[in-house]
């Protein structure tokens, strides 16, 4: 009896700068001829997934992303300064500037919806995502966001690709929420850090999850309320991500947790970690995508 080819989807999770490892995962899939029939992405996974779905070429993806990171628009965001400043060679004046900038950041995020305004957000997303629709992708693609009003996950499969990705990447407090259909949408990572279920919803038989922030980081000093709030949020998101990934057929976990989520300077290192993570599980991946046995995903069991 003829058995149809199984459809394989990648579920690319959030993780900000750590999500650059997704590029390495895609590179390894290309290198080893592993199929990608569809992609679901959240947050940084949405950006990388959308770019690749529009033009399935890792070389083009790298060129596009590196051009963005070198752009004046990205530099003006000073996004890297959100990271922990542990440079022992920094002088006293530099340290005072860093502290002053952080003080300004904390002041702004409690007096308006987000640190970055809509114009800054739109300018940056326009450099990364072409003004096209989901129908223009060469690979079926979806992305997710959280509606703050209903508390529900919103899955985008049609309409403006740029607008959907900007909603999926709207980090609470940093980037402005996106108003859509009466809802107020923010980063999908707060409800579906690794979008396994949406990937199955696209029609996939096999879903390979890519979790770039799988480890719960060591607990630092909890000296103030912000530290405690941040730690509680990290634990909740880690637990949710673990639960979501348990529904996938296989999970790829790049080891790039050494870098800060806001530090985009380690581009090549993050990409290399993505390649290494795939090659570490290559035999299992090849068995999974090449088998023609009637496999029902664990998600629907």
């Amino acid at each position: 009896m003829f058995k149809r080819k199984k459809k394989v989807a990648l579920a690319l999770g959030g993780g900000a700068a750590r999500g650059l490892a997704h590029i390495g995962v895609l590179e390894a899939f290309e290198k080893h001829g592993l199929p990608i029939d569809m992609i679901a992405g959240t947050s940084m996974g949405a950006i990388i997934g959308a770019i690749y779905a529009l033009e399935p070429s890792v070389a083009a993806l790298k060129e596009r992303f590196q051009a963005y990171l070198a752009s004046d628009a990205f530099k003006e965001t000073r996004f890297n300064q959100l990271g922990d400043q542990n440079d022992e060679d920094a002088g006293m004046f530099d340290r005072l500037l860093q502290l002053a900038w952080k003080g300004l950041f904390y002041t702004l995020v409690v007096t308006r919806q987000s640190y970055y305004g809509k114009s800054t957000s739109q300018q940056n997303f326009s450099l990364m995502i072409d003004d096209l629709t989901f129908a223009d992708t060469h690979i079926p693609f979806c992305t997710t966001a959280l509606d703050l009003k209903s508390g529900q996950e919103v899955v985008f499969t049609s309409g403006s690709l740029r607008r959907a990705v900007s909603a999926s990447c709207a980090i609470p407090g940093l980037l402005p929420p996106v108003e859509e259909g009466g809802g107020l949408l923010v980063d999908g990572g707060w409800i579906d850090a690794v979008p396994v279920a949406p990937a199955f919803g696209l029609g996939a038989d096999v879903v390979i999850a890519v979790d770039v922030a799988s480890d719960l980081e060591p607990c630092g000093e909890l000296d103030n309320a912000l530290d405690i709030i941040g730690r509680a949020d990290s634990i909740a998101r880690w637990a949710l991500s673990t639960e979501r990934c348990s529904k996938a057929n296989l999970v790829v976990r790049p080891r790039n947790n050494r870098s800060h989520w806001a530090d985009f300077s380690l581009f090549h290192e993050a990409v290399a970690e993505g390649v290494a993570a795939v090659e570490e599980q290559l035999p299992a991946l090849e068995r999974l995508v090449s088998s023609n046995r009637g496999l029902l995903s664990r998600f629907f069991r």
Side-chain angles (χ1 to χ4, degrees):
M1 179 179 177
F2 174 77
K3 294 184 182 296
R4 68 178 177 85
K5 176 188 173 185
K6 291 184 298 183
K7 295 179 180 179
V8 178
L10 287 182
L12 306 180
R18 293 170 181 166
L20 294 173
H22 292 315
I23 299 174
V25 169
L26 293 167
E27 182 175 341
F29 266 64
E30 278 192 6
K31 174 183 175 182
H32 296 287
L34 298 171
I36 304 173
D37 298 305
M38 49 199 70
I39 299 173
T42 292
S43 199
M44 180 55 71
I47 295 175
I48 291 172
I51 296 173
Y52 190 80
L54 283 169
E55 184 178 358
S57 163
V58 168
L61 172 59
K62 284 183 176 180
E63 183 178 355
R64 181 72 173 263
F65 219 96
Q66 288 180 297
Y68 166 67
L69 294 178
S71 69
D72 290 338
F74 177 74
K75 292 175 183 177
E76 288 170 5
T77 67
R78 303 173 71 190
F79 197 80
N80 286 348
Q81 293 195 32
L82 295 174
D84 292 331
Q85 303 294 336
N86 295 320
D87 185 359
E88 296 179 357
D89 296 326
M92 180 58 67
F93 182 67
D94 291 331
R95 292 180 184 276
L96 288 173
L97 285 177
Q98 292 164 5
L99 290 172
W101 188 88
K102 285 188 174 183
L104 173 63
F105 168 75
Y106 290 135
T107 299
L108 288 174
V109 297
V110 296
T111 57
R112 62 189 194 188
Q113 274 194 328
S114 60
Y115 177 73
Y116 297 112
K118 286 185 178 181
S119 60
T120 298
S121 176
Q122 290 170 354
Q123 179 185 21
N124 280 265
F125 279 110
S126 68
L127 291 175
M128 290 184 286
I129 308 296
D130 293 333
D131 191 16
L132 298 170
T133 71
F134 283 79
D136 295 310
T137 63
H138 292 281
I139 297 175
F141 173 75
C142 73
T143 186
T144 70
L146 168 63
D147 182 0
L148 292 177
K149 293 185 178 181
S150 68
Q152 300 297 310
E153 179 180 21
V154 176
V155 179
F156 290 94
T157 58
S158 63
S160 168
L161 200 59
R162 182 185 294 169
R163 186 169 178 81
V165 171
S166 65
S168 186
C169 296
I171 301 173
L174 285 182
L175 295 171
V178 173
E179 297 181 12
E180 182 77 20
L184 195 62
L185 308 184
V186 296
D187 193 317
W190 262 258
I191 193 168
D192 207 351
V194 185
V196 173
F200 278 119
L202 284 175
D205 301 299
V206 172
V207 171
I208 298 163
V210 185
D211 187 2
V212 299
S214 56
D215 295 331
L216 181 63
E217 296 182 358
C219 185
E221 296 295 328
L222 302 177
D223 294 329
N224 55 60
L226 284 175
D227 289 339
I228 292 171
I229 292 169
R231 180 61 177 176
D233 177 71
S234 295
I235 293 171
R237 295 187 65 202
W238 168 76
L240 178 62
S241 177
T242 301
E243 188 278 331
R244 293 288 195 258
C245 284
S246 70
K247 309 299 183 183
N249 297 97
L250 189 145
V251 184
V252 175
R253 292 187 169 96
R255 298 190 185 94
N256 64 344
N257 282 12
R258 296 186 302 275
S259 62
H260 192 276
W261 62 267
D263 183 6
F264 283 85
S265 66
L266 302 177
F267 180 90
H268 296 291
E269 292 84 348
V271 171
E273 291 289 359
V275 172
V278 170
E279 297 192 335
E280 195 173 271
Q281 297 198 64
L282 189 57
L285 283 163
E286 288 178 333
R287 286 194 300 270
L288 186 62
V289 303
S290 65
S291 171
N292 281 320
R293 291 174 295 175
L295 174 69
L296 290 178
S297 71
R298 283 183 282 165
F299 181 78
F300 291 111
R301 286 178 182 173

